[in-house]
């Protein structure tokens, strides 16, 4: 059987304020929350989501390989860096599954793309709707920036073509036969 990993099932980089309020009301909010200043949304870690051989948070310092899934970074590079640091992520040893929406809404989409691309094979990325919107802006004649878009830095970057070419090679779905898991941004 294939287990579908959707955004709601994985480590959340962003938890919309309405969802956070509902979780707080129910008493089941995420552990380890920060706030993304630019988006005024929670940045949270659920340490129960581990892929493959994995490691728990208390075993993180023992050098064992792990895989983690992170959803909806949406241009918040500072928070992504802190999250990877908190997880003691080592690209030489670990893997991170990024469940789409690397860009837009936050202040640092360009930095996120550069950081994730630099991770090489340690980052498994599927495209989300915001990533597709960026590609459409770059390549489609009739696509226009929306009022809340924060993609101008990517579109004007000197390494724009290299980053967009890399992003275009990311898939809509990733399937890992060994784990029996498929990852998509919003569902099949």
């Amino acid at each position: 059987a294939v287990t579908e990993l959707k955004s709601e099932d994985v480590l959340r980089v962003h938890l919309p304020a309405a969802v956070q309020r509902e979780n707080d009301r129910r008493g089941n909010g995420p552990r380890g929350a920060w706030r993304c200043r630019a988006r005024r949304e929670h940045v949270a870690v659920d340490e129960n989501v581990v892929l493959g051989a994995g490691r728990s948070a208390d075993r993180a310092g023992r050098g064992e390989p792990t895989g983690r899934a992170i959803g909806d970074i949406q241009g918040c590079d500072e928070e992504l860096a802190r999250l990877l640091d908190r997880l003691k992520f080592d690209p030489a040893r670990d893997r991170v599954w990024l469940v789409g929406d690397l860009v837009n809404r936050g202040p640092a989409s360009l930095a996120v793309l550069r950081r994730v691309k630099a991770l090489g094979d340690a980052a498994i990325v599927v495209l989300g709707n915001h990533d597709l919107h960026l590609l459409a802006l770059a390549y489609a004649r009739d696509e226009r920036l929306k009022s809340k878009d924060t993609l101008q830095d990517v579109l004007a970057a000197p390494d724009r073509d290299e980053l967009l070419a890399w992003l275009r090679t990311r898939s809509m779905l990733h399937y890992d036969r060994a784990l029996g898991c498929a990852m998509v941004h919003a569902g099949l």
Side-chain angles (χ1 to χ4, degrees):
V2 173
T3 303
E4 181 183 347
L5 275 178
K6 295 184 279 189
S7 293
E8 58 268 15
D9 299 327
V10 300
L11 279 176
R12 288 200 178 274
V13 174
H14 296 289
L15 191 62
V19 174
Q20 179 61 40
R21 283 191 299 274
E22 181 63 17
N23 281 344
D24 289 346
R25 187 183 68 75
R26 291 181 181 180
N28 62 352
R31 294 183 287 159
W34 297 294
R35 288 184 66 80
C36 177
R37 287 177 296 225
R39 295 190 62 221
R40 296 191 179 112
E41 294 180 1
H42 285 273
V43 176
V45 179
D46 179 350
E47 294 175 354
N48 295 317
V49 178
V50 180
L51 303 168
R55 65 175 183 231
S56 64
D58 60 324
R59 294 168 52 202
R62 295 203 299 220
E64 298 172 21
T66 189
R68 298 282 183 161
I70 301 173
D72 295 66
I73 297 163
Q74 293 189 332
C76 288
D77 185 62
E78 182 181 318
E79 290 77 11
L80 175 61
R82 285 197 316 238
L83 177 57
L84 293 174
D85 186 54
R86 178 174 178 188
L87 296 172
K88 296 179 175 48
F89 181 77
D90 178 357
R93 180 189 70 225
D94 301 326
R95 272 211 168 149
V96 61
W97 288 31
L98 300 173
V99 190
D101 282 357
L102 298 178
V103 299
N104 214 359
R105 305 295 186 240
S109 294
L110 179 59
V112 168
L113 286 177
R114 287 173 175 160
R115 178 183 304 280
V116 173
K117 182 179 179 292
L119 292 174
D121 292 339
I124 298 169
V125 178
V126 295
L127 295 171
N129 53 300
H130 289 281
D131 309 314
L132 293 170
H133 177 58
L134 170 61
L135 292 171
L137 285 169
Y139 298 112
R141 292 179 188 192
D142 59 346
E143 189 73 15
R144 301 284 181 254
L145 280 169
K146 298 174 184 171
S147 62
K148 293 184 179 181
D149 284 344
T150 59
L151 299 168
Q152 296 85 342
D153 60 339
V154 177
L155 295 170
D159 54 345
R160 159 203 158 119
D161 292 339
E162 179 185 344
L163 292 169
L164 293 174
W166 171 82
L167 191 62
R168 286 179 64 181
T169 65
R170 306 305 94 188
S171 65
M172 297 291 294
L173 178 142
H174 172 75
Y175 176 68
D176 187 305
R177 184 175 303 278
L179 297 176
C181 286
M183 174 178 63
V184 296
H185 175 66
L188 294 175

